[in-house]
Amino acid sequence: MDRVLHRPAEVAKILDCSEWWVKEQARRRRIPFAWIGGSYRFTDEHLAEIIRIFEVRP
């Protein structure tokens, strides 16, 4: 299994937002995540889904 797990700080940097925002969205179950070892973790698939969730189309 070669799946990369990103920490909230990494996700925040990729999405150009705050780490607090990432954790808050996960806490409120608005974005997908994995809960591993008592911490939020995100796969590349989660990142793609987060972008789709917040995408705005005309």
Side-chain angles (χ1 to χ4, degrees):
M1 185 171 183
D2 293 348
R3 190 168 289 203
V4 176
L5 295 175
H6 303 282
R7 295 178 181 271
E10 295 173 75
V11 173
K13 188 173 183 178
I14 292 167
L15 297 178
D16 194 26
C17 63
S18 71
E19 182 178 352
W20 176 87
W21 184 88
V22 173
K23 289 180 178 179
E24 183 66 9
Q25 297 309 305
R27 184 183 74 78
R28 292 177 180 241
R29 306 294 196 259
R30 293 179 178 158
I31 60 175
F33 63 91
W35 183 255
I36 299 174
S39 299
Y40 297 113
R41 296 292 188 266
F42 302 87
T43 64
D44 290 333
E45 292 83 9
H46 289 146
L47 288 171
E49 181 63 21
I50 292 166
I51 291 167
R52 280 192 292 276
I53 289 168
F54 289 96
E55 182 177 43
V56 177
R57 293 180 174 252

